[in-house]
Amino acid sequence: MSEPVKLIALLKAKPGMSLKDFEKRWVEGHAPLTLKFKNLKGYRINIAITEYQEIEGDLPYDGTCEMWWDSLEEMKEDFASPEAKKAVADADIFTMVRTHIYTREHILK
């Protein structure tokens, strides 16, 4: 039996892009491309807040996202799709760092 899989992505905006512009570009410009993945079960975008952080100075990342599928096979199928190729090319336009961590989730509360 296949287990659900979640991708956690850590993103940093291109130099010179404000956090507000990064958020707008990601949520309004990029997310609609990702939402076309046929097997995707959920997608959350998390943008860093400037009001409170434990790190002094620039954060290593400006935001994260969580994407999940019912199985690793479904995720791989989506990432092999033409929709994924468009989404990756688009992400290259507004991000300078995208680190992906593939996980199995444990919901505790």
Side-chain angles (χ1 to χ4, degrees), residues 25-44:
R25 177 65 174 80
W26 191 358
V27 173
E28 296 177 15
H30 181 74
L33 299 173
T34 303
L35 290 169
K36 291 181 181 177
F37 292 8
K38 81 172 192 175
N39 298 310
L40 185 66
K41 299 301 184 240
Y43 183 36
R44 291 185 177 141

Side-chain angles (χ1 to χ4, degrees), residues 3-7 67-72 75 103-104:
E3 293 182 78
V5 63
K6 181 181 271 190
L7 178 153
M67 301 166 62
W68 57 95
W69 293 262
D70 286 338
S71 69
L72 186 58
M75 183 194 77
T103 68
R104 300 220 187 277

Side-chain angles (χ1 to χ4, degrees), residues 1-20:
M1 174 182 224
S2 293
E3 293 182 78
V5 63
K6 181 181 271 190
L7 178 153
I8 308 292
L10 310 168
L11 284 77
K12 183 75 176 168
K14 290 269 184 168
M17 180 177 262
S18 72
L19 192 58
K20 184 176 181 176

Side-chain angles (χ1 to χ4, degrees), residues 44-64:
R44 291 185 177 141
I45 293 173
N46 310 289
I47 303 296
I49 59 172
T50 57
E51 297 85 4
Y52 176 80
Q53 294 293 337
E54 294 179 352
I55 297 172
E56 294 287 329
D58 289 341
L59 294 173
Y61 303 102
D62 295 313
T64 70

